[in-house]
C-alpha cells in the first residue's frame, strides 16, 4: 500500500510559466509534508515544507498548498526557470521522525 | 559542516560478494536513515536509527541486509551475499530531533554483476 503517490512521472513547462506538481496521500496521521528536489548524481535536498495544521506555505518562487479533506498537496513554482529542472519528491512524515516518499516527478523547464 | 558523507560513491562487485556502504551523518543529528532508490520501487526507507539505536528495520529486504550504528558519527549498511537485484543507489540521510527535514548524502551507486 503506497501511502504517498505522485501520479505524474513527468512534467514539461516553458520557462516563465507556472509548474504545478501534485501529491496524494492516504494516512491522515501525517504531521508534516515536504518537497525535496533531486539533481542527477546527487542526493535529494529539502525545498519547502508545510505543517498539517496549515493550508499554504510560501518561500520565494515556491508555494505548497495542502488540502487535508482531499488528502492532496501541490507545489507551485512561479516563474519556472531552467535550473528548476530536476526530480521532485513529495514526502510525508509523522512526529516519530519517519518520512514516506512518493516516486517523484521529473520536471523539465524549457528555455 | 561538510554535510552527510557516504562512501564509496560507486561500487561494482560480483554476485555473492559482501558489500559494505558507509555513512557519516551531520554532527549533532540524532536520526540516521538508509534509503534505496530503484526505478521500480522509487525511494524506499530500509532502516532508521535514533541515538544509534535501530528504531524501524521493517524496510530491510531480507536477512542478507544488515545495518549498524556503533557511534553517533558512523553507520554501515552491509549486504552479504550480494545479488544483481540489489543494484540501486543507496542514500544515507540524517536529521535533528524535533525537525522534519532530512539531509541526504550524495548516495552510493551499487552495481552487482
Amino acid at each position: 500500500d503506497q501511502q504517498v503517490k505522485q501520479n505524474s512521472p513527468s512534467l514539461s513547462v516553458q520557462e516563465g510559466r507556472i509548474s504545478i506538481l501534485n501529491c496524494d496521500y492516504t494516512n491522515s496521521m501525517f504531521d508534516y509534508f515536504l518537497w525535496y528536489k533531486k539533481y542527477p548524481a546527487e542526493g535529494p535536498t529539502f525545498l519547502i515544507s508545510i505543517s498539517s495544521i496549515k493550508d499554504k506555505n510560501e518561500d520565494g518562487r515556491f508555494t505548497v498548498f495542502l488540502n487535508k479533506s482531499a488528502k492532496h498537496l501541490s507545489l507551485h513554482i512561479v516563474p519556472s526557470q531552467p535550473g528548476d529542472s530536476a526530480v521532485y519528491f513529495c514526502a510525508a512524515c509523522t512526529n516519530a521522525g519517519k518520512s514516506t516518499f512518493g516516486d517523484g516527478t521529473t520536471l523539465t523547464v524549457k528555455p | 559542516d561538510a554535510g552527510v558523507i557516504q562512501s564509496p560513491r560507486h561500487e561494482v562487485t560480483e554476485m555473492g560478494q559482501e558489500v559494505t556502504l558507509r555513512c557519516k551523518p551531520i554532527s549533532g543529528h540524532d536520526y540516521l536513515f538508509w534509503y534505496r532508490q530503484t526505478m521500480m520501487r522509487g525511494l524506499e526507507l530500509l532502516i532508521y536509527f535514533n541515538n544509534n539505536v535501530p528504531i524501524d528495520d521493517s524496510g530491510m529486504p531480507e536477512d542478507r541486509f544488515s545495518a549498524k550504528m556503533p557511534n553517533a558519527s558512523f553507520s554501515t549498511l552491509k549486504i552479504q551475499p550480494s545479488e544483481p537485484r540489489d543494484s540501486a543507489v543507496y542514500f544515507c540521510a540524517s536529521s535533528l530531533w524535533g525537525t522534519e527535514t532530512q539531509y541526504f548524502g550524495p548516495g552510493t551507486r551499487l552495481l552487482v554483476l
Side-chain angles (χ1 to χ4, degrees):
Chain A
D1 176 32
Q2 194 168 9
Q3 296 189 62
V4 178
K5 288 186 181 180
Q6 294 176 254
N7 291 318
S8 298
S10 62
L11 174 68
S12 182
V13 300
Q14 207 67 34
E15 181 179 6
R17 307 295 291 268
I18 184 171
S19 295
I20 300 176
L21 297 99
N22 295 302
C23 179
D24 297 295
Y25 62 96
T26 58
N27 187 348
S28 58
M29 300 301 291
F30 287 130
D31 298 299
Y32 280 94
F33 302 89
L34 306 94
W35 286 94
Y36 287 82
K37 178 178 174 179
K38 184 185 179 304
Y39 292 117
E42 295 182 10
T45 56
F46 169 75
L47 187 59
I48 191 170
S49 66
I50 187 167
S51 164
S52 62
I53 63 174
K54 295 187 175 181
D55 55 19
K56 178 182 175 182
N57 188 27
E58 192 172 352
D59 183 2
R61 297 185 297 115
F62 303 92
T63 303
V64 57
F65 295 93
L66 175 62
N67 183 334
K68 287 188 69 176
S69 60
K71 293 190 175 65
H72 177 84
L73 66 154
S74 61
L75 174 68
H76 293 212
I77 307 174
V78 182
S80 302
Q81 300 173 354
D84 296 330
S85 297
V87 178
Y88 288 79
F89 289 98
C90 167
C93 66
T94 65
N95 272 334
K98 178 179 175 178
S99 286
T100 303
F101 285 78
D103 287 343
T105 296
T106 300
L107 173 65
T108 302
V109 180
K110 298 179 180 178
Chain B
D1 200 320
V4 176
I5 299 172
Q6 290 187 248
S7 64
R9 292 294 308 275
H10 302 274
E11 178 81 26
V12 180
T13 190
E14 292 187 345
M15 183 174 63
Q17 297 297 307
E18 177 179 295
V19 174
T20 299
L21 312 181
R22 297 173 177 78
C23 174
K24 177 179 167 50
I26 292 174
S27 177
H29 282 192
D30 41 19
Y31 280 93
L32 184 138
F33 307 82
W34 281 102
Y35 292 90
R36 178 172 69 175
Q37 185 184 22
T38 61
M39 290 293 292
M40 293 297 294
R41 300 175 68 87
L43 191 62
E44 53 179 338
L45 177 66
L46 300 177
I47 184 172
Y48 76 99
F49 296 82
N50 177 222
N51 290 324
N52 314 338
V53 176
I55 302 301
D56 184 349
D57 65 353
S58 59
M60 295 286 261
E62 47 199 272
D63 292 346
R64 296 185 298 106
F65 285 70
S66 63
K68 294 182 179 179
M69 192 164 185
N71 57 63
S73 59
F74 184 66
S75 177
T76 60
L77 178 68
K78 188 174 292 187
I79 309 173
Q80 165 65 10
S82 58
E83 297 182 2
R85 59 190 167 123
D86 302 330
S87 298
V89 181
Y90 291 81
F91 290 104
C92 174
S94 68
S95 69
L96 194 58
W97 181 84
T99 66
E100 68 276 9
T101 305
Q102 295 181 19
Y103 295 83
F104 284 77
T108 296
R109 186 172 295 273
L110 173 66
L111 178 61
V112 183
L113 301 173

